[in-house]
Amino acid sequence: ILIISAWNYPAWTLFQPAVSAICAGNFVVFKPSEVASKCSAVITKMIQEGLNTSYYKVYEGGPEVC
């Protein structure tokens, strides 16, 4: 499951759909908004420290990442 967050609510639009995806047993790729770079850094740190990185990946950056 690819989840791309919006710039105006970066945490909400990333984690709200992730709850359902994780509960359903899916692999999840998170793409925080590059416009909210400070939030993106915090979100990346939270995911890398809190979730198994074998199943959950985070990609930071702009359109060149996708």
Side-chain angles (χ1 to χ4, degrees), residues 7-29:
W7 66 271
N8 54 349
Y9 291 103
W12 175 258
T13 58
L14 197 70
F15 290 124
Q16 192 271 336
V19 171
S20 298
I22 291 170
C23 288
N26 293 300
F27 293 91
V28 180
V29 176

Side-chain angles (χ1 to χ4, degrees), residues 1-65:
I1 307 278
L2 172 63
I3 302 172
I4 302 173
S5 72
W7 66 271
N8 54 349
Y9 291 103
W12 175 258
T13 58
L14 197 70
F15 290 124
Q16 192 271 336
V19 171
S20 298
I22 291 170
C23 288
N26 293 300
F27 293 91
V28 180
V29 176
F30 296 95
K31 170 60 181 74
S33 174
E34 73 277 4
V35 177
S37 60
K38 300 288 186 184
C39 286
S40 177
V42 171
I43 289 169
T44 299
K45 184 177 178 184
M46 289 172 49
I47 291 171
Q48 289 176 342
E49 291 179 0
L51 296 174
N52 184 344
T53 56
S54 298
Y55 302 109
Y56 309 105
K57 301 287 184 189
V58 181
Y59 293 99
E60 289 187 272
E64 71 278 356
V65 173

